[in-house]
Amino acid sequence: MSQLNDNIDRAQQYMQRFREQGVLNHINGESVAADSGKTFETLSPVDLAPLANVAHGDASDIDRAVKAAEKAFKSWSKTPGKERRAILIKVAEAIEARAEEIAFTECMDTGQSLRFMSKAAIRGAANFRFFADRAPQAEDGQALRNDTQMNVTSKRPLGPVGVITPWNTPFMLSTWKIAPALASGCTVVHKPAEFSPMTAKLLVEIAEEAGLPKGVLNLVNGMGEGAGKALTEHPGIKAIAFVGESHTGQLIMAQAAPTLKRFHFELGGKNPVIVFDDADIDRAVNAATFMIYSLNGERCTSSSRLLVHERIYDEVTRRVAEVANGVKVGHPLDPETVVGPLIHPEHEQKVLSYFAKAREEGATIAAGGEKVGEAGCFVRPTLFTHARNDMTIAQEEIFGPVLTAIPFKDEEEALRLANDTQYGLAAYLWTNDLDRAMRLTDALEAGMIWVNSENVRHLESPFGGVKSSGIGRDGGDWSFDFYMETVNVSFPRKVHPVPKLG
Ligand code: NAD
């Protein structure tokens, strides 16, 4: 039997339970159907066959989940950091033990290829370990003294928080939000994306089997405008950690305004990769193609605009086209596959619409630009050349394996083009001129800038965007700042004159 057939068989076994029982919500330690009894179907992006029925949660399910999170918060927030650490390390170990199940399920539910998803569970476990290790010190603060007072700060968990996640790498992204929330002493209600509900259910089950008390992590599936909206509006929820589109971020901010919540928003991007003619072109081409064609290009930090110095534009774009034409598009469980099917026919239609748009706007399709096969949501890795930065294909987030290449003549133009977008998540800069790197990294409008590198994530470092790409940072201590409230207590250091009125 080929490796692919063997993988498909194993994936079917892992997902059999979802086919039989559906993907249920998980509230206060129990698997439950939606209060209304309603379900919706999740599809395989490989052949559009139904994968499972999913609980269609709504406001009443959210309310039950928030009540469970509020009750659990009373004890979880008081559980000593060392004990929280021990439980969360067990969760990490349990994730590692079920890494294959998580990876195979994620591939079938999202269309992401096994080549990249095989590491998703390991990355998720790493998130749990990293934040678990910081739990014992999470409430520590500073002592700040002046002549008369000693101010002592400490941190307290905020309360129940809402985590709303997208479909592109759902398991990894969920752990990145949920692990620091739990390490901080918060409890969580998670609303995963409707297109990719499966691994969120695995996560909550794994966590509870590993010892996470019931009600600390709750899961409600449903639509954004139903369960998602209700979560953002619930007065019991103290903060929303949201990853998704910029427009959804705007809606959430408005929905949550009456209950004055804290937000962390990780939103869209149209990230430039700028290649100067003094750069190591081999490395730049490898990094740029990796950052747009891995994970199906469904990646917030994808390098979706390739800005290349005019002297090397033809060579760089020729080599990018060679890579695009050479990567395998295929079944996500085939170990050779780089680009799997896009998440859903709706999203595929969106991506395909930019191929027509590119032609209309006068760009050249130098590679790809078409659907592959009839079944499933497969599109060819694509390169647009002879593009201008004011074209739609250079301004809108396509969120597929689609790269728009634009030439520039000098540093000033490169910077202007890079910043000429509503987004500001990541930027990638390829140059061997240190002075230029210093100048540009000071001037690029992005929350994260990688010099001579692809996106290499370092959990201690801050993650997040500027402009329409987000609000706030997470990673390292920034995550704890978000999920915790800083409290200042002031003690007199000596008897000082208290103002006396009258
Ligand atoms: P989306 O905004 O459509 O949905 C994300 C989540 O929000 C889903 O769970 C959805 O159900 C929910 N939602 C939708 N409407 C809502 C509402 N009114 N109230 C509350 N919740 C609502 O995004 P998507 O299409 O699932 O994901 C792709 C987007 O995510 C892209 O724009 C991508 O750039 C972004 N993303 C950003 C990062 C980052 O770190 N900046 C990471 C991954 C993905």
Side-chain angles (χ1 to χ4, degrees):
M1 193 190 272
S2 75
Q3 184 67 54
L4 172 58
N5 286 340
D6 187 34
N7 287 353
I8 292 174
D9 263 11
R10 295 224 293 286
Q12 299 297 353
Q13 284 164 29
Y14 288 133
M15 294 196 310
Q16 190 169 350
R17 51 162 292 196
F18 289 129
R19 273 198 303 278
E20 286 167 3
Q21 303 155 18
V23 184
L24 294 170
N25 291 338
H26 199 101
I27 298 176
N28 202 26
E30 283 178 31
S31 278
V32 284
D35 284 352
S36 64
K38 285 192 197 151
T39 59
F40 63 94
E41 231 172 32
T42 182
L43 298 179
S44 159
V46 177
D47 54 10
L48 309 190
L51 286 177
N53 292 318
V54 186
H56 192 149
D58 238 312
S60 68
D61 308 271
I62 289 287
D63 188 53
R64 278 205 298 131
V66 175
K67 290 206 167 91
E70 280 174 327
K71 186 162 160 253
F73 181 72
K74 292 195 178 93
S75 52
W76 183 247
S77 59
K78 299 283 180 288
T79 303
K82 270 188 178 169
E83 280 176 42
R84 288 205 302 270
R85 176 183 181 278
I87 293 171
L88 297 179
I89 295 284
K90 287 209 176 92
V91 175
E93 288 165 357
I95 289 173
E96 282 157 355
R98 285 172 67 179
E100 182 181 278
E101 177 183 359
I102 294 165
F104 281 39
T105 308
E106 190 90 313
C107 289
M108 291 306 289
D109 204 16
T110 64
Q112 296 283 8
S113 68
L114 184 60
R115 187 183 183 116
F116 305 112
M117 282 309 101
S118 60
K119 298 179 196 95
I122 306 304
R123 280 281 307 276
N127 288 338
F128 268 92
R129 276 183 203 285
F130 175 83
F131 290 110
D133 279 339
R134 290 176 175 229
Q137 289 83 38
E139 64 180 17
D140 289 350
Q142 288 180 300
L144 303 161
R145 292 144 50 111
N146 66 12
D147 279 356
T148 61
Q149 308 291 124
M150 183 169 68
N151 292 289
V152 181
T153 72
S154 63
K155 288 199 251 160
R156 297 178 192 163
L158 271 184
V161 298
V163 172
I164 303 180
T165 46
W167 44 257
N168 56 327
T169 47
F171 186 80
M172 201 284 292
L173 273 174
S174 307
T175 59
W176 185 349
K177 308 289 147 190
I178 290 170
L182 301 182
S184 303
C186 293
T187 52
V188 172
V189 178
H190 180 200
K191 208 303 275 174
E194 47 272 43
F195 285 169
S196 59
M198 287 183 167
T199 53
K201 179 68 171 153
L202 293 181
L203 177 62
V204 63
E205 286 177 1
I206 289 171
E208 286 183 359
E209 279 163 30
L212 194 71
K214 62 182 188 178
V216 171
L217 173 58
N218 305 276
L219 166 70
V220 179
N221 287 289
M223 301 299 135
E225 59 276 19
K229 181 165 181 282
L231 183 59
T232 61
E233 290 173 341
H234 202 292
I237 291 292
K238 302 304 168 200
I240 295 285
F242 169 71
V243 186
E245 284 184 13
S246 303
H247 176 64
T248 315
Q250 292 172 339
L251 294 178
I252 290 178
M253 195 176 246
Q255 289 160 196
T259 49
L260 287 178
K261 289 178 175 41
R262 188 179 284 189
F263 299 111
H264 181 223
F265 283 170
E266 287 181 0
L267 311 174
K270 192 73 184 178
N271 311 298
V273 48
I274 311 168
V275 186
F276 282 92
D277 58 351
D278 62 4
D280 182 328
I281 293 180
D282 281 343
R283 290 174 64 76
V285 167
N286 287 340
T289 50
F290 174 74
M291 285 308 302
I292 190 69
Y293 300 136
S294 65
L295 299 179
N296 297 350
E298 295 165 325
R299 178 180 202 155
C300 56
T301 53
S302 72
S303 52
S304 47
R305 281 186 304 149
L306 177 63
L307 309 180
V308 192
H309 190 270
E310 59 190 11
R311 252 196 304 275
I312 55 168
Y313 182 81
D314 288 343
E315 185 193 347
V316 169
T317 52
R318 181 181 52 76
R319 290 169 66 173
V320 169
E322 271 169 27
V323 175
N325 289 329
V327 298
K328 182 173 164 98
V329 181
H331 195 290
L333 291 176
D334 183 337
E336 300 297 312
T337 293
V338 172
V339 177
L342 298 175
I343 180 83
H344 192 274
E346 258 174 44
H347 183 58
E348 186 197 26
Q349 277 315 311
K350 176 185 155 180
V351 172
L352 293 175
S353 75
Y354 287 99
F355 300 163
K357 197 83 199 158
R359 288 191 188 94
E360 242 172 66
E361 291 184 322
T364 302
I365 298 186
E370 59 188 11
K371 185 171 163 59
V372 184
E374 285 311 306
C377 305
F378 296 90
V379 300
R380 234 175 249 303
T382 295
L383 172 66
F384 299 140
T385 53
H386 301 112
R388 290 189 322 272
N389 205 54
D390 61 357
M391 291 178 175
T392 318
I393 52 169
Q395 289 294 324
E396 293 185 3
E397 185 186 41
I398 300 175
F399 220 56
V402 182
L403 180 56
T404 301
I406 301 167
F408 66 81
K409 60 178 184 314
D410 56 22
E411 186 180 313
E412 194 192 330
E413 188 180 20
L415 179 64
R416 186 172 53 73
L417 296 176
N419 286 346
D420 178 19
T421 160
Q422 63 162 316
Y423 296 110
L425 187 59
Y428 304 89
L429 174 62
W430 288 86
T431 180
N432 277 320
D433 178 337
L434 182 60
D435 291 338
R436 172 187 282 151
M438 286 304 220
R439 281 191 300 273
L440 284 179
T441 51
D442 271 350
L444 281 165
E445 293 168 0
M448 297 170 288
I449 303 168
W450 277 274
V451 179
N452 293 338
S453 174
E454 76 285 21
N455 164 351
V456 180
R457 185 80 181 99
H458 177 227
L459 283 174
E460 278 84 348
S461 304
F463 189 101
V466 301
K467 294 161 58 180
S468 298
S469 288
I471 297 178
R473 296 290 176 271
D474 63 6
D477 295 337
W478 288 271
S479 294
F480 288 93
D481 285 345
F482 178 69
Y483 290 113
M484 301 185 87
E485 199 75 83
T486 298
V487 176
N488 186 58
V489 180
S490 194
F491 296 95
R493 293 182 62 207
K494 59 186 175 202
V495 176
H496 64 283
V498 175
K500 195 170 162 190
L501 304 180

